[in-house]
Amino acid sequence: MLRGVVKSVLSGDTLVIMGLDSSRGPPPEKQVTLAYLSAPRLGNRTTADAPFAWASREWLRGQLIGKEVSFSVDYANQAARQFGTVLADQGRNIGLAVVQAGWARVQPPKPADGGAPPASSALEALLAAEAAAKEAGLGMWSMEEGAAARNTRVVDYAPDVPALLQRLQGERLTAVVEHVNSASSFRLLLLPDFQVRAAVRARARVLAWRGRYAGAARRRARRWRAPPRAPGAFGRDHVRTAPSRA
């Protein structure tokens, strides 16, 4: 298995994993969807969120963001989307944990995807976990009245940014870091109203965190490498450190 750090969580079943070797520039990244699972889909500017999509993503993000994991790619579909197995600390199978918590359904690969069916024992474990989560009403299987509506996020993707910034200026805000451009520039999603997805440039507090200016880094490596024996320098290291700790 390969090892890396979870840089971001795109949905309740999909991660971006970053390599450990930053000695020769930004480490490589790989997007991996948990094999044999399907979580509720997050929306975009043209498509609404599915019920429980945000809660599913946030549960997985809380489990893995910034943590080292082991992973393997098991199969890919016709769109070149890669599906794999991800193990966290002490060999914990993340796919199984997601199903046990009720945040994804079991979905074996279609024959056209070229993926081998999971081993009978692995599939049985996933199906048993799914059945138990359904019976207990966990996560997306909640039986509470109105749960789906309460757990459907509505995002304003096109706010009046100048007016919003003027209204919020000087306030302490809660936000989720959606993307790290560099150690001094992030894209945030403001909570709890999901009002805006905004690009902001962090100032003295973030710059002082690294001890020096977050300069430009080289182009990201394409090939996965083994971890280095010694850490990289500041100018390269911030590209790895900021995403994993934001």
Side-chain angles (χ1 to χ4, degrees), residues 77-225:
N77 63 13
Q78 292 180 319
R81 186 177 183 183
Q82 296 183 320
F83 298 78
T85 300
V86 178
L87 303 180
D89 52 325
Q90 300 180 342
R92 181 187 181 210
N93 188 307
I94 294 303
L96 180 60
V98 171
V99 176
Q100 288 172 332
W103 294 121
R105 65 179 72 246
V106 180
Q107 182 174 290
K110 301 175 182 178
D113 291 338
S120 59
S121 59
L123 182 57
E124 288 173 3
L126 288 171
L127 291 174
E130 182 182 57
K134 285 182 178 180
E135 184 176 358
L138 300 178
M140 61 187 282
W141 309 116
S142 174
M143 294 175 283
E144 293 182 9
E145 184 177 354
R150 290 195 303 272
N151 285 277
T152 302
R153 182 185 66 149
V154 178
V155 182
D156 182 2
Y157 287 102
D160 183 342
V161 176
L164 181 65
L165 292 178
Q166 183 175 8
R167 178 168 60 86
L168 299 179
Q169 186 173 4
E171 292 188 23
R172 183 179 293 273
L173 306 174
T174 301
V176 172
V177 178
E178 291 281 87
H179 183 75
V180 176
N181 302 314
S182 72
S184 61
S185 181
F186 315 124
R187 186 171 74 242
L188 305 177
L189 182 63
L190 302 182
L191 301 177
D193 299 323
F194 308 109
Q195 289 180 300
V196 61
R197 189 170 286 169
V200 299
R201 184 165 297 277
R203 298 187 183 276
R205 187 169 302 176
V206 173
L207 294 179
W209 166 60
R210 289 308 300 164
R212 58 176 70 180
Y213 175 69
R218 296 191 322 215
R219 186 172 297 177
R220 189 171 300 281
R222 294 184 179 181
R223 309 181 82 179
W224 206 272
R225 299 188 179 99

